[in-house]
Amino acid sequence: GAGVSQSPSNKVTEKGKDVELRCDPISGHTALYWYRQSLGQGLEFLIYFQGNSAPDKSGLPSDRFSAERTGGSVSTLTIQRTQQEDSAVYLCASTNRNTIYFGEGSWLTVV
Amino acid sequence: KQEVTQIPAALSVPEGENLVLNCSFTDSAIYNLQWFRQDPGKGLTSLLLIQSSQREQTSGRLNASLDKSSGRSTLYIAASQPGDSATYLCAVISWGSQGNLIFGKGTKLSVKP
């Protein structure tokens, strides 16, 4: 596609439920990032995928968070047993090793 | 550990003014530095990318400079317009951790007509 596509754009879920957020990067981009942005806060790095290398998971806040990238393209971020503090915008980005392109984000609200 | 700071946190100017946004980083061993714009409720749009070997980049009314030795970058916006109102974010990638783009908290710019 023309840009980074994320779905769902908005998600309201009950505390304790699992959620999956999807990211379709720009075709041909080998690197993919997930970031989290809480209300009024800066961007928090979560995870980075580069080609077939092992992902850099150093930013994942707890073992309730996981991500995978199938076939070097689409990525899914999974949050298990969601908590209210997980409410945030989850931003995906991809790059061709230079300019980084962000999606519009998935707005997650845990009630 | 790389840390990125942006000053001021918020800025309000009248239309037509030239302005400068500041970004500082603690580790000068950077791979590149990028300036982004974020509109309310939207994702980030890349404005300018400066490689570590470069001193500045220009795009239209925007000019970004990089001084690695002092750990600073500035984003200069000429002849500001109300449409420039947004949050401007600076981010760096450090050598050895190309997977981790470290962001500042941004400067929220308001340009009054």
Side-chain angles (χ1 to χ4, degrees), chain B residues 32-113:
Chain B
N32 65 37
L33 181 146
Q34 199 160 342
W35 282 92
F36 295 87
R37 168 185 173 138
Q38 186 174 31
D39 292 283
K42 299 290 186 181
L44 279 70
T45 301
S46 177
L47 297 173
L48 290 164
L49 170 72
I50 310 177
Q51 300 288 358
S52 62
S53 58
Q54 298 175 324
R55 295 298 298 266
E56 66 177 339
Q57 284 287 334
T58 298
S59 175
R61 294 183 294 109
L62 305 180
N63 175 276
S65 68
L66 174 64
D67 183 344
K68 280 197 310 178
S69 61
S70 65
R72 293 182 182 182
S73 176
T74 60
L75 179 66
Y76 175 81
I77 303 177
S80 58
Q81 302 170 358
D84 295 331
S85 299
T87 297
Y88 290 81
L89 294 142
C90 163
V92 300
I93 292 181
S94 298
W95 282 104
S97 60
Q98 276 86 334
N100 197 343
L101 187 64
I102 305 293
F103 282 86
K105 293 192 184 302
T107 294
K108 186 174 182 179
L109 174 66
S110 176
V111 181
K112 308 284 187 199

Side-chain angles (χ1 to χ4, degrees), chain A residues 67-99:
Chain A
E68 62 177 22
R69 189 179 185 193
T70 54
S73 180
V74 171
S75 177
T76 302
L77 177 69
T78 301
I79 309 173
Q80 296 178 309
R81 305 181 303 280
T82 52
Q83 304 295 314
Q84 288 185 327
E85 61 263 29
D86 299 334
S87 296
V89 180
Y90 290 82
L91 291 162
C92 176
S94 69
T95 180
N96 56 359
R97 294 181 62 81
N98 286 296
T99 302

Side-chain angles (χ1 to χ4, degrees), chain A residues 36-42 87-89 107:
Chain A
R36 176 169 73 174
Q37 187 175 34
S38 303
L39 188 63
Q41 300 297 313
S87 296
V89 180
W107 295 70

Side-chain angles (χ1 to χ4, degrees), chain A residues 16-71:
Chain A
K17 301 281 190 183
D18 297 351
V19 296
E20 284 190 352
L21 308 176
R22 176 187 168 103
C23 173
D24 274 287
I26 293 174
S27 178
H29 282 190
T30 58
L32 185 149
Y33 302 79
W34 282 99
Y35 281 83
R36 176 169 73 174
Q37 187 175 34
S38 303
L39 188 63
Q41 300 297 313
L43 275 81
E44 177 188 4
F45 168 76
L46 297 177
I47 190 168
Y48 165 70
F49 296 90
Q50 171 60 57
N52 295 320
S53 302
D56 177 355
K57 304 180 182 180
S58 60
L60 294 178
S62 76
D63 59 7
R64 295 187 296 105
F65 288 74
S66 63
E68 62 177 22
R69 189 179 185 193
T70 54

